[in-house]
Amino acid sequence: MIDDEALARAGICTRLANETDIDVIHEAGDGAEAVTLIRELRPDLIFLDVELPEFDGFSVLDRVGHEHLPLVIFVTAFDRYAVKAFEAHAIDYILKPVSDTRFDETLRRARELVLDERGRERARGRLVDGLSSLAAAGTPDTAEKSARRTLVQRFVIKDRGRYRFVKADKIDWFGSASNYVELHSEGRAHLIRMTMSELQGSLDERQFARIHRSTIVNIDRVREVMSHPHGDYEVILADGTALRLGRAYRERLLGSVQ
């Protein structure tokens, strides 16, 4: 459930608690947090408010990226976004306050789609097409929002059966691990479901630098850069970790740490 009002989130979560086949895995109170959680947790379905701090619900879906899109039910106090929501091919658009009958009807439709693999993929395809069409026809307001890049301020990691947040400035470095990224912070490593390209696009380039096709470091953690025979270089972090510096990334890193 994504809503900036705690009571609204609690209301939806209370209703869902009675559904034995549905797990509420997290809540978010603003657009930036929502993007981070959706990318990391990859839910099947989200309940999404339209007016949110940071950026609105439609921008959340744009910034998540098509490959991570869940099915969407909009829940809002404003009817003026209804046309846009249906142009985006959301499952439904519910106005607050939400009646039990209306909620049950929407949940029934959502359940049918989520449980039917073909139906789910068709619904996701329509959502992707709808969002793409809205972006192509975008108004100056939506174009301006799309031009702004979302910088991730914290990451969600699963740790011993619970989810923890790790702030970006607490991270030492990232390493590629097939279709995952290994996040290194305070002597521990955690896997997050993201590619290096996705990760690099969401990081503040003033704080992080790519030093190899499979490695990104927190610039503040760089203690020194050592040269070796035959032109090889290593980046030494504050904790002594030694990482290979690729030639293609050398000039940019050295310029950023001066």
Side-chain angles (χ1 to χ4, degrees):
M1 176 60 193
I2 302 161
D3 197 307
D4 60 331
E5 297 178 0
L7 284 176
R9 296 198 304 270
I12 296 295
C13 291
T14 298
R15 284 183 164 102
L16 294 175
N18 297 320
E19 307 296 329
T20 57
D21 58 344
I22 296 177
D23 292 323
V24 179
I25 57 176
H26 226 294
E27 301 175 29
D30 61 58
E33 184 181 24
V35 171
T36 299
L37 288 169
I38 293 169
R39 285 176 174 172
E40 176 60 25
L41 303 179
R42 299 196 179 188
D44 296 313
L45 173 71
I46 59 173
F47 289 80
L48 178 63
D49 194 6
V50 176
E51 294 197 349
L52 295 166
E54 304 290 341
F55 36 82
D56 67 25
F58 294 101
S59 295
V60 166
L61 300 177
D62 287 337
R63 293 163 191 252
V64 162
H66 293 170
E67 66 198 71
H68 299 303
L69 276 178
L71 301 183
V72 180
I73 296 172
F74 281 102
V75 184
T76 181
F78 307 97
D79 60 3
R80 62 178 176 270
Y81 301 110
V83 172
K84 189 173 181 180
F86 287 117
E87 286 178 345
H89 295 291
I91 292 177
D92 210 339
Y93 184 94
I94 308 176
L95 285 175
K96 302 174 186 175
V98 183
S99 71
D100 290 339
T101 301
R102 184 74 174 88
F103 185 83
D104 291 342
E105 176 188 347
T106 297
L107 194 58
R108 178 186 56 78
R109 294 182 57 211
R111 183 183 277 111
E112 290 174 354
L113 287 172
V114 170
L115 294 178
D116 178 356
E117 184 175 351
R118 290 186 178 180
R120 183 173 67 245
E121 290 308 308
R122 285 196 297 269
R124 285 190 71 255
R126 289 194 295 270
L127 180 62
V128 168
D129 291 342
L131 291 170
S132 297
S133 297
L134 287 173
T139 62
D141 179 58
T142 56
E144 178 184 346
K145 290 179 180 177
S146 298
R148 295 200 299 266
R149 203 158 49 97
T150 306
L151 300 180
V152 176
Q153 302 298 323
R154 56 182 183 172
F155 291 82
V156 184
I157 59 172
K158 191 172 183 179
D159 184 17
R160 301 172 187 173
R162 67 180 63 185
Y163 293 98
R164 290 200 303 115
F165 290 97
V166 177
K167 290 184 178 180
D169 60 8
K170 297 294 184 183
I171 296 168
D172 301 319
W173 63 284
F174 298 94
S176 176
S178 187
N179 292 325
Y180 292 78
V181 169
E182 199 170 55
L183 178 159
H184 294 261
S185 174
E186 299 178 332
R188 299 183 63 187
H190 308 275
L191 285 178
I192 56 176
R193 195 180 300 180
M194 182 180 286
T195 66
M196 291 296 283
S197 296
E198 290 172 336
L199 174 66
Q200 186 174 16
S202 65
L203 292 173
D204 188 342
E205 60 186 16
R206 296 167 299 181
Q207 185 177 14
F208 291 92
R210 196 161 187 168
I211 63 169
H212 190 270
R213 60 185 175 84
S214 61
T215 314
I216 295 174
V217 298
N218 185 336
I219 295 170
D220 290 339
R221 299 294 193 276
V222 176
R223 187 177 73 196
E224 59 183 325
V225 176
M226 296 182 61
S227 62
H228 296 286
H230 311 296
D232 294 331
Y233 282 77
E234 275 188 330
V235 174
I236 311 299
L237 303 186
D239 64 358
T241 299
L243 302 168
R244 182 183 174 188
L245 174 58
R247 295 187 181 187
Y249 305 94
R250 188 181 308 160
E251 184 176 340
R252 185 155 179 258
L253 174 70
L254 295 177
S256 65
V257 298
Q258 289 177 356

